[in-house]
Amino acid sequence: MSSCFNGGAGWPEPVVRVQAVSDTCGETIPERYVKLPLDRPSATTLQPAVSHGGGSLNIPVVDMSMPDSDETVRAVDAACQEWGFFQAVNHGVSPELLRRARSSWRGFFRQPAEVRERYANSPATYEGYGSRLGTTKGGHLDWGDYYFLHLLPPSIKSHDKWPSLPSTLREATEEYGEEVVKLCRRVSKVLSKGLGLDGGRLQAAFGGEGGEGACMRVNFYPRCPQPELTLGVAAHSDPGGMTMLLVDDHVRGLQVKKDGQWITVDPVPDAFIVNVGDQIQVLSNAAYKSVEHRVTVSAAEERLSLAFFYNPRSDVPVAPMAELVAPGRPALYPEMTFDEYRAHIRQRGLSGKAQLQSLQNANSSVAS
């Protein structure tokens, strides 16, 4: 069992790989993975939700083939105001590249444990192969392993920290990262226009083209004998700017919170699921809101997804943009760098929207 554990520097206790737990736990998952009753997925949320009109309720689908058109801007604006999520189709990233990226990372998680452990991470940067978020000892754990890596700025990207096996992985990941960054920049312009601003405004607030941050977390959710008791990722909003999620091509699992109800997303093949992160909620002064989401797991099949995070540069002060602040609409959040903001997440782990709400409450107290 020694290959199943990593006691790397900074973690409060040995880290157990969920793949190893899945292979050895039999029909009962360990207590550390059992969520509190209110946090568990119920049978009613494991299927696509039904709208009031009787049809399937799903996040909006937006055609991104003409990102500069008024129709696209209106569609993205409506999705971000109502849902905080949308599925981008005709987005310009080739389906062949999507398949190659997925296949390469599946290949990594199928490597022997001793190969994967060469890249074991620590909470200092989270870069590498990991199985937990947060450094609180004894807390509940999520049913998933991951690999976290940096892509922008170039000064912190290191191919040496990326897996060398399978042999296709580094090249596929590099190409995938380049194409998804381009897509993020296109969507950023659409979001800016939806807010009534110049197309480059959000990107400027992120640090300008080439000055933004970008990183990726590849999630691997092994089969789970009791999926009704646990989650692959607990409920949270994304702390960064914008997320481009490439989900598994055959297993559903993402759930989005809408009007108090958890809705299982029915993904469109080869689409990106785009969601607003906390930093865009701050910059837009809550015109666009980040939304809680979570991941369920399956007893029958493993699942893999690639979450690409497009963020402000870590040392750039982030606050509501001046154009979106007025006497009747004061700034809801204090100024803070992204590094300062995510330090809370890295210490305590995911906790819904608690961090963003605490900042808004603190700012309201100061204002009053």
Side-chain angles (χ1 to χ4, degrees), residues 105 147-149 151 173 176 214-218 306-309:
W105 280 102
Y147 202 103
F148 183 82
L149 53 87
L151 294 119
T173 301
Y176 180 84
C215 52
M216 185 166 75
R217 174 174 155 146
V218 184
L306 283 69
F308 191 97
F309 305 109

Side-chain angles (χ1 to χ4, degrees), residues 122-139:
S122 80
T125 66
Y126 280 89
E127 190 164 18
Y129 176 50
S131 300
R132 64 180 294 161
L133 184 62
T135 55
T136 302
K137 187 174 182 178

Side-chain angles (χ1 to χ4, degrees), residues 3-324:
S3 64
C4 304
F5 293 83
N6 166 43
W11 296 115
E13 54 201 344
V15 177
V16 185
R17 302 305 179 196
V18 178
Q19 276 181 274
V21 177
S22 175
D23 290 341
T24 59
C25 70
E27 299 301 314
T28 304
I29 64 174
E31 191 66 27
R32 291 288 301 277
Y33 298 94
V34 177
K35 301 297 183 185
L36 296 172
L38 287 177
D39 296 331
R40 297 173 191 171
S42 67
T44 57
T45 60
L46 295 179
Q47 302 299 322
V50 176
S51 69
H52 295 301
S56 179
L57 186 61
N58 199 15
I59 61 175
V61 177
V62 178
D63 186 337
M64 290 296 300
S65 60
M66 299 178 65
D68 295 326
S69 72
D70 290 343
E71 183 179 359
T72 302
V73 171
R74 286 194 296 269
V76 170
D77 177 63
C80 290
Q81 289 197 49
E82 184 179 355
W83 285 84
F85 273 81
F86 65 93
Q87 298 198 61
V89 298
N90 300 322
H91 43 65
V93 183
S94 77
E96 184 276 333
L97 178 57
L98 305 184
R99 288 190 287 272
R100 191 151 38 96
R102 281 197 196 101
S103 175
S104 295
W105 280 102
R106 280 200 181 97
F108 168 74
F109 285 102
R110 289 171 180 163
Q111 295 297 313
E114 58 268 23
V115 174
R116 289 180 270 124
E117 289 299 338
R118 295 173 193 166
Y119 303 96
N121 71 351
S122 80
T125 66
Y126 280 89
E127 190 164 18
Y129 176 50
S131 300
R132 64 180 294 161
L133 184 62
T135 55
T136 302
K137 187 174 182 178
H140 290 280
L141 298 174
D142 291 337
W143 191 267
D145 300 321
Y146 64 85
Y147 202 103
F148 183 82
L149 53 87
H150 293 290
L151 294 119
L152 287 177
S155 59
I156 64 171
K157 180 175 74 174
S158 172
H159 285 180
D160 291 339
K161 296 180 181 179
W162 299 8
S164 59
L165 293 174
S167 60
T168 58
L169 187 145
R170 290 182 178 177
E171 181 180 354
T173 301
E174 179 69 26
E175 185 179 350
Y176 180 84
E178 290 174 356
E179 292 303 311
V180 179
V181 165
K182 293 176 187 176
L183 175 59
C184 288
R185 289 170 178 163
R186 293 195 293 273
V187 173
S188 175
K189 291 178 181 179
V190 177
L191 294 173
S192 293
K193 292 177 181 178
L195 291 167
L197 307 174
D198 177 78
R201 184 65 177 91
L202 262 182
Q203 189 167 294
F206 274 36
E209 184 169 333
E212 327 96 312
C215 52
M216 185 166 75
R217 174 174 155 146
V218 184
N219 303 296
F220 183 79
Y221 307 106
R223 289 184 294 273
C224 177
Q226 295 178 295
E228 72 280 2
L229 297 182
T230 191
L231 290 166
V233 179
H236 66 287
S237 60
D238 288 346
M242 178 198 319
T243 303
M244 291 280 172
L245 180 67
L246 180 64
V247 297
D248 197 282
D249 47 3
H250 64 286
V251 185
R252 285 197 303 258
L254 176 66
Q255 295 186 336
V256 173
K257 199 170 191 178
K258 171 70 170 168
D259 300 329
Q261 181 183 13
W262 287 107
I263 296 169
T264 301
V265 174
D266 191 11
V268 176
D270 296 330
F272 279 102
I273 297 176
V274 185
N275 65 279
V276 170
D278 293 349
Q279 303 307 299
I280 284 183
Q281 177 166 332
V282 170
L283 287 164
S284 71
N285 209 22
Y288 294 160
K289 293 183 175 65
S290 59
V291 170
E292 281 188 80
H293 51 286
R294 66 185 188 183
V295 177
T296 62
V297 292
S298 168
E301 298 181 87
E302 65 189 31
R303 183 174 177 272
L304 180 134
S305 67
L306 283 69
F308 191 97
F309 305 109
Y310 184 68
N311 302 322
R313 199 178 72 213
S314 61
D315 60 349
V316 171
V318 174
M321 292 183 286
E323 303 94 318
L324 303 178

